[in-house]
């Protein structure tokens, strides 16, 4: 049983949808993690789940910000869904396909580890959102949106991601974090390592987005910074940034597994990659490094490993909204 992962497949883009339709099965017992930002509509989500379940026995999904969007261009049956109601509608669609979500009990995954021995891990899809705390110390919560706009950055979430029934996204985030921690504590009590799956990064130091450096407030919460140690994680799987990378922190592997918008992975596609080769193997995965011997960040822009940070080839143009 191998476990694979991909995020941010953004199927509202026709070329990405065409690529997703080329999804191929792996082993008969393999699983697939969809780490958020599949698309904005329930129909898109249904199509993605149907394709995933045709090719993988087990499928896990966590929401990204795009699944939570509510807009005037949404299908009529979805226009009234905002915030938590939109999330729960996505969860119900997942259940129809047998896709596991943050609302389900966590699954124990049995596999052959990197040493050829039988091992187990608890697969933990979580939904933690963000609370704007990924910001410099000198910038207060009340100032953060103005600070972002100094560089022309304002996330689409500010218009389309409603916190209903909570007063703010911060409040919703803190409620979600508390709920996640209760479930993760129970999972850690099994004595098995965890695979924690969240759309948004758990740690601010795994964020490298030089074209939009002031986008970080929409990228997570500092409340999750030590989850990998506190809950004895083996792997942390995230997306959102559209910057594929592997980091080892405190002996834990962090995988950012985004595909991204068509223009963002075009170079990888041009050298022969497709949606299948852009997936990351989560379990069994590589042998962990010795303590204190963690390798540097492995960047995976082209689907292969390189150790230098991706070059910034274009300057950020001033604009009002950033879509991520």
């Amino acid at each position: 049983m191998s476990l694979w992962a991909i995020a941010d497949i953004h199927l509202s883009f026709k070329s990405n949808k065409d690529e997703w339709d080329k999804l191929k099965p792996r082993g008969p017992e393999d699983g697939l993690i969809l780490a958020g930002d599949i698309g904005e509509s329930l129909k898109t989500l249904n199509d993605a789940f149907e394709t995933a379940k045709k090719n993988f026995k087990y499928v896990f999904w966590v929401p990204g910000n795009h699944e939570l969007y509510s807009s005037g261009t949404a299908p009529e049956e979805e226009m009234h869904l905002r915030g938590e109601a939109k999330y729960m509608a996505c969860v119900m669609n997942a259940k129809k396909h047998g896709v596991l979500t943050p609302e389900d009990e966590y699954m124990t995954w049995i596999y052959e580890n990197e040493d050829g021995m039988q091992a187990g891990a608890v697969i933990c899809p979580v939904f933690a959102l963000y609370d704007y705390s990924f910001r410099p110390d000198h910038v207060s919560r009340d100032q953060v949106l103005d600070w972002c706009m100094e560089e022309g950055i304002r996330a689409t979430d500010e218009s389309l991601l409603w916190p209903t029934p909570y007063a703010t996204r911060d409040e919703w985030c803190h409620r979600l974090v508390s709920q996640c921690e209760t479930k993760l504590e129970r999972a850690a009590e099994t004595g098995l390592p965890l695979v924690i799956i969240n759309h948004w990064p758990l740690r601010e130091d795994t964020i490298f987005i030089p074209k939009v450096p002031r986008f970080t407030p929409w990228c997570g919460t500092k409340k999750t910074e030590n989850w990998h140690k506190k809950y004895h994680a083996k792997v942390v799987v995230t997306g959102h940034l559209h910057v594929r990378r592997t980091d080892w922190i405190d002996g834990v592997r962090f995988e950012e597994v985004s595909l991204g918008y068509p223009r963002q992975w075009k170079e990888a596609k041009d050298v022969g990659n497709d949606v299948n080769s852009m997936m990351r193997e989560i379990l069994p995965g590589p042998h962990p490094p010795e303590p204190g011997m963690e390798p540097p960040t492995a960047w995976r822009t082209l689907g292969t490993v390189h150790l230098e940070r991706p070059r910034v080839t274009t300057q950020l143009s001033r604009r009002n909204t950033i879509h991520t």
Side-chain angles (χ1 to χ4, degrees):
M1 295 173 68
S2 293
L3 182 61
W4 305 85
I6 196 165
D8 298 80
I9 56 177
H10 291 288
L11 299 187
S12 58
F13 289 84
K14 183 179 183 303
S15 59
N16 274 15
K17 177 62 167 62
D18 291 344
E19 286 295 322
W20 185 245
D21 290 341
K22 300 174 186 177
L23 186 67
K24 297 177 181 178
R26 305 275 184 158
E29 299 291 318
D30 282 8
L32 175 63
I33 293 166
L34 296 173
D37 276 9
I38 308 306
E40 295 76 21
S41 72
L42 296 178
K43 181 183 184 306
T44 299
L45 213 54
N46 273 326
D47 291 346
F49 291 155
E50 182 177 357
T51 300
K53 284 294 289 184
K54 283 180 181 179
N55 290 281
F56 290 86
K57 185 172 183 179
Y58 304 99
V59 177
F60 305 86
W61 167 81
V62 297
N65 48 313
H66 280 251
E67 282 93 338
L68 304 175
Y69 282 176
S70 305
S71 75
T73 60
E76 185 175 354
E77 63 274 16
E78 295 182 34
M79 290 184 66
H80 68 288
L81 296 173
R82 292 183 173 183
E84 193 170 66
K86 178 66 183 295
Y87 167 59
M88 290 308 301
C90 294
V91 168
M92 295 307 297
N93 275 13
K95 288 182 180 295
K96 292 176 184 178
H97 294 274
V99 172
L100 296 173
T101 78
E103 303 306 309
D104 292 299
E105 292 300 314
Y106 295 153
M107 176 182 176
T108 299
W109 189 268
I110 305 300
Y111 66 101
E112 187 177 286
N113 69 14
E114 55 272 5
D115 295 320
M117 305 293 289
Q118 190 178 79
V122 183
I123 312 303
C124 305
V126 304
F127 171 30
L129 203 58
Y130 56 84
D131 62 0
Y132 304 86
S133 57
F134 286 174
R135 63 181 190 268
D137 292 340
H138 71 275
V139 178
S140 71
R141 173 62 183 90
D142 291 340
Q143 297 169 330
V144 69
L145 294 182
D146 289 339
W147 175 77
C148 294
M149 277 302 297
E150 288 175 4
E151 296 294 333
I153 295 175
R154 182 178 185 271
T156 308
D157 296 17
E158 295 300 310
S159 301
L160 300 184
L161 201 166
W162 294 74
T164 313
Y166 303 95
T168 64
R169 297 176 195 88
D170 312 50
E171 182 183 342
W172 190 10
C173 169
H174 297 163
R175 176 66 179 272
L176 290 167
V177 166
S178 177
Q179 293 172 340
C180 289
E181 289 181 334
T182 299
K183 285 187 73 174
L184 291 170
E185 285 173 6
R186 291 201 305 265
E189 288 171 358
T190 66
L192 293 173
L194 309 188
V195 174
I196 301 177
I197 309 157
N198 186 49
H199 177 67
W200 294 269
L202 297 193
R203 294 176 58 90
E204 191 173 7
D205 59 4
T206 61
I207 299 174
F208 177 67
I209 44 175
K211 293 182 182 179
V212 284
R214 296 196 185 187
F215 188 74
T216 57
W218 294 277
C219 290
T221 169
K222 290 182 178 179
K223 291 180 178 293
T224 63
E225 182 178 8
N226 292 315
W227 276 9
H228 67 294
K229 291 194 296 184
K230 183 177 181 180
Y231 301 118
H232 311 295
K234 178 179 177 66
V235 190
V236 172
V237 180
T238 61
H240 192 57
L241 303 178
H242 300 191
V243 181
R244 297 169 56 80
R245 58 187 284 177
T246 302
D247 294 273
W248 290 90
I249 303 172
D250 302 316
V252 178
R253 180 161 49 102
F254 284 70
E255 294 281 5
E256 207 285 3
V257 299
S258 299
L259 183 67
Y261 299 129
R263 69 179 186 276
Q264 293 172 320
W265 71 286
K266 180 181 183 299
E267 192 175 356
K269 188 176 178 181
D270 287 346
V271 297
N273 286 288
D274 63 10
V275 71
N276 298 286
S277 60
M278 295 294 280
M279 289 185 182
R280 287 293 295 149
E281 183 185 89
I282 304 304
L283 294 176
H287 199 285
E290 294 295 325
M293 300 293 290
E294 288 86 358
T297 297
W299 306 91
R300 302 182 181 278
T301 307
L302 298 180
T304 55
V305 175
H306 50 103
L307 300 181
E308 295 183 359
R309 284 185 172 187
R311 290 179 297 172
V312 181
T313 56
T314 59
Q315 295 295 318
L316 173 65
S317 60
R318 295 196 65 82
R319 48 193 169 182
N320 291 328
T321 305
I322 298 296
H323 300 272
T324 299

